Amino acid sequence: MREPSDELSRLLEKFRAGKLSEQQLLESMAALDGSASASDADRATVRSGDEHRCRARVADWLDAYRAAEQSGADTLETWADLSGDAALVGGLRTAAAREAKHAALL
């Protein structure tokens, strides 16, 4: 079974290569997030005191989220580099900076 962060990386590669639309990426990420939610067994594990496993899952999820934020920043920067519209470039760079800041915070 693939880890959620591996699956997210695969989805982002497909998106960057143009094999997935933005909508398909968002739907796939939502499905991935749903599959990564805590099961009854996971909740029982946490209740039994195995906090290390729970922390590792949270850390993996946060790392995947950070990767998605950084991917968004990279995509927006590339778009800005390729755009000839100065007004659009300014907005794209602002959004890219915001996404990069989110990634840095995570």
Side-chain angles (χ1 to χ4, degrees):
M1 183 172 138
R2 287 185 176 182
E3 292 295 317
S5 59
D6 294 338
E7 185 66 17
L8 180 61
S9 294
R10 187 186 66 78
L11 288 170
L12 291 172
E13 286 175 21
K14 282 184 152 184
F15 177 71
R16 288 186 196 122
K19 295 178 182 176
L20 281 178
S21 69
E22 183 176 354
Q23 185 60 37
Q24 290 170 318
L25 175 66
L26 293 173
E27 289 169 1
S28 296
M29 288 176 67
L32 181 62
D33 186 43
S35 69
S37 63
S39 67
D40 291 338
D42 291 333
R43 286 189 286 276
T45 299
V46 172
R47 283 193 300 268
S48 70
D50 187 6
E51 293 182 21
H52 178 71
R53 181 175 173 207
C54 180
R55 287 176 191 241
R57 287 188 66 167
V58 169
D60 287 346
W61 186 86
L62 287 172
D63 187 52
Y65 193 69
R66 181 209 50 78
E69 291 283 357
Q70 188 59 54
S71 175
D74 295 343
T75 301
L76 290 167
E77 277 293 331
T78 300
W79 186 5
D81 291 343
L82 298 173
S83 179
D85 183 345
L88 179 61
V89 169
L92 291 170
R93 293 211 189 279
T94 299
R98 180 192 65 222
E99 296 302 311
K101 186 65 171 179
H102 291 165
L105 289 171
L106 291 170

